[in-house]
Amino acid sequence: MGSPNKDQNKGFFSAMTSGLSLFGNAMHRSVNGLLGYEGVEVINPEGGKEDAEEEAHRGRWKQEERESYWKMMHKYIGSDVTSMVTLPVLIFEPMTMLQKMAELMEYSYLLDRADECEDPYLRLVYASSWAISVYYAYQRTWKPFNPIIGETYELVNHEGITFISEQVSHHPPMSAGHAENEHFTYDVTSKLKTKFLGNSLDVYPVGRTRVTLKRDGVVLDLVPPPTKVNNLIFGRTWVDSPGEMIMTNLTTGDKVVLYFQPCGWFGAGRYEVDGYVYNAAEEPKILMTGKWNESMSYQPCDMEGEPLQGTESKEVWHVADTPKNDKFQFTYFAHKINSFDTAPKKLLASDSRLRPDRFALEKGDLSKAGSEKSRLEERQRAEKRTREAKGHQFTPRWFDLTDEISATPWGDLEIYRFNGKYTEHRATVDSSDGIDEVDLASIEFNPWQYGNLSTE
């Protein structure tokens, strides 16, 4: 085998599977216009084009719901529907985007190991495996709630981490997050961009993710692949993330490039990930292979990208056990994120756990979840009208908008920076002995009381 193509950076097995990706594209085209609905494509990831019509009648929607929802949604084909469409709670999971950001912390021990590791290339193996690990959770086919402006999520009691995220903007929807323990700090600004394609949705992760390893001060930058949600209305919904994930050591210039294989006919290539850790001269040092829903392994390689003789592949990450037949496909960690076991004392009233629509959905009351969701969205609109009438603008409490603009493959991004006030807040609360024990679930959700209002 020749040396890896440094321009494409598509990894060890990309040449063998490139034909399968073409099959996947052909499969998408072959069912376009199915059942007379222009723009509809239905893909069974476990089958071929012959069973597309049968697959179209599967999924969570009743036939009359499919037709009604299609009539409402088909006019948005080609549009970014991140926040412009009111969606039924039927397709939601009892979690917000702010909480979903925290799911990256499940396997944070990999970042601890990266910080402790002296080998600069193995350090990238640990760190990139951490970035891959969350994709098991991302394959869930339920939509998280969009956060209300000023909404927050706090996480403690997990691997020594303190995590805070906040909805810093409503239009466009933007979130910022910060996590820290003795080994690393994690900072993210996220502004998802979508493209509705009829029966599928392309999700572009417009954002910037930075991890600083504390021992040596190494800064890592992560660019994840886009995600495609298939069979939104017709057929069984499933998720794929074909493309490249690139993690760069901004301190040394080393990087890891991993290629997420697209799903082809009969599931060929689905979940597979492969690639290399490169030094600053773009020479391959370590081969990485695995499946993003299962495990990742690594093995030292030569300059041609071949495994070194006398070495063996070693597993670096394996997905944890998960609950059987969970209604929302939650992991055990996802349930922890929703519980008050991971909440700090004197929880902010803006915390996602306290949302009445989320809580109602968690308890299985779809009617109440829908009415509470509508009530919160209407109050958010009313709060905005009040601010505008008074000449005020909302500014976040825990993150500051900077002058920095970061370029991403899907557009420019304004960067929010953690301002440290949350650390001071938690230190004050945690050192206060006089705080009365309260039932955290009884706190009324109120994200508006915390945002700063300033005159324009």
Side-chain angles (χ1 to χ4, degrees), residues 43-46 55 58-60 230-231 234-238:
I43 295 91
N44 179 0
E46 301 165 354
E55 176 64 30
R58 299 168 179 166
R60 68 184 63 150
N230 299 280
N231 297 358
F234 300 90
R236 293 167 295 179
T237 307
W238 59 281

Side-chain angles (χ1 to χ4, degrees), residues 226-277:
T227 293
K228 189 177 188 69
V229 184
N230 299 280
N231 297 358
L232 284 173
I233 306 171
F234 300 90
R236 293 167 295 179
T237 307
W238 59 281
V239 177
D240 202 16
S241 295
E244 290 181 344
M245 170 184 284
I246 302 174
M247 177 175 278
T248 304
N249 184 330
L250 299 179
T251 306
T252 66
D254 303 331
K255 66 180 178 180
V256 56
V257 182
L258 299 171
Y259 187 64
F260 286 52
Q261 300 290 346
C263 178
W265 278 345
F266 304 102
R270 190 179 184 190
Y271 308 119
E272 292 181 6
V273 180
D274 60 87
Y276 293 96
V277 177

Side-chain angles (χ1 to χ4, degrees), residues 401-453:
L401 178 62
T402 70
D403 294 330
E404 185 177 0
I405 302 294
S406 177
T408 79
W410 307 282
D412 290 344
L413 175 75
E414 306 85 356
I415 300 300
Y416 283 81
R417 180 178 58 233
F418 180 65
N419 58 26
K421 293 179 181 178
Y422 180 77
T423 304
E424 298 171 1
H425 163 78
R426 284 260 57 94
T428 300
V429 170
D430 293 343
S431 63
S432 300
D433 297 328
I435 296 179
D436 296 330
E437 292 294 327
V438 297
D439 179 8
L440 294 178
S442 67
I443 302 173
E444 182 181 357
F445 178 66
N446 186 355
W448 298 280
Q449 68 172 317
Y450 292 111
N452 299 314
L453 293 176

Side-chain angles (χ1 to χ4, degrees), residues 93-279:
E93 63 180 10
M95 181 179 286
T96 72
M97 281 299 301
L98 296 178
Q99 293 174 287
K100 207 168 182 73
M101 289 170 67
E103 286 198 84
L104 257 174
M105 295 297 114
E106 178 170 6
Y107 300 96
S108 60
Y109 71 86
L110 291 167
L111 290 182
D112 295 347
R113 293 180 183 176
D115 182 53
E116 296 166 343
C117 185
E118 295 185 0
D119 184 316
Y121 310 124
L122 189 55
R123 175 185 290 158
L124 281 173
V125 169
Y126 285 122
S128 60
S129 295
W130 161 79
I132 287 173
S133 68
V134 77
Y135 280 83
Y136 181 87
Y138 283 178
Q139 71 178 322
R140 293 199 302 266
T141 57
W142 307 90
K143 182 189 181 304
F145 285 93
N146 286 341
I148 301 295
I149 191 168
E151 185 174 333
T152 58
Y153 177 74
E154 303 175 80
L155 175 76
V156 296
N157 303 326
H158 174 71
E159 304 291 343
I161 291 169
T162 298
F163 176 94
I164 177 69
S165 55
E166 182 176 13
Q167 189 72 359
V168 295
S169 171
H170 181 55
H171 285 298
M174 294 183 66
S175 309
H178 174 83
E180 187 167 358
N181 69 2
E182 63 178 326
H183 290 288
F184 68 88
T185 60
Y186 158 85
D187 291 282
V188 61
T189 300
S190 175
K191 183 176 69 174
L192 291 180
K193 182 179 180 181
T194 63
K195 187 175 183 179
F196 180 63
L197 299 173
N199 201 35
S200 64
L201 183 74
D202 286 348
V203 182
Y204 307 104
V206 180
R208 190 181 77 174
T209 300
R210 293 279 171 86
V211 174
T212 301
L213 303 178
K214 289 187 173 181
R215 192 187 70 164
D216 296 332
V218 166
V219 179
L220 306 177
D221 178 81
L222 175 67
V223 179
T227 293
K228 189 177 188 69
V229 184
N230 299 280
N231 297 358
L232 284 173
I233 306 171
F234 300 90
R236 293 167 295 179
T237 307
W238 59 281
V239 177
D240 202 16
S241 295
E244 290 181 344
M245 170 184 284
I246 302 174
M247 177 175 278
T248 304
N249 184 330
L250 299 179
T251 306
T252 66
D254 303 331
K255 66 180 178 180
V256 56
V257 182
L258 299 171
Y259 187 64
F260 286 52
Q261 300 290 346
C263 178
W265 278 345
F266 304 102
R270 190 179 184 190
Y271 308 119
E272 292 181 6
V273 180
D274 60 87
Y276 293 96
V277 177
Y278 296 90
N279 64 14

Side-chain angles (χ1 to χ4, degrees), residues 306-326:
E306 298 284 0
L308 284 177
Q309 292 187 358
T311 66
E312 60 182 19
S313 179
K314 295 182 179 180
E315 187 175 81
V316 65
W317 165 75
H318 195 97
V319 69
D321 291 338
T322 57
K324 302 297 183 183
N325 302 317
D326 190 87

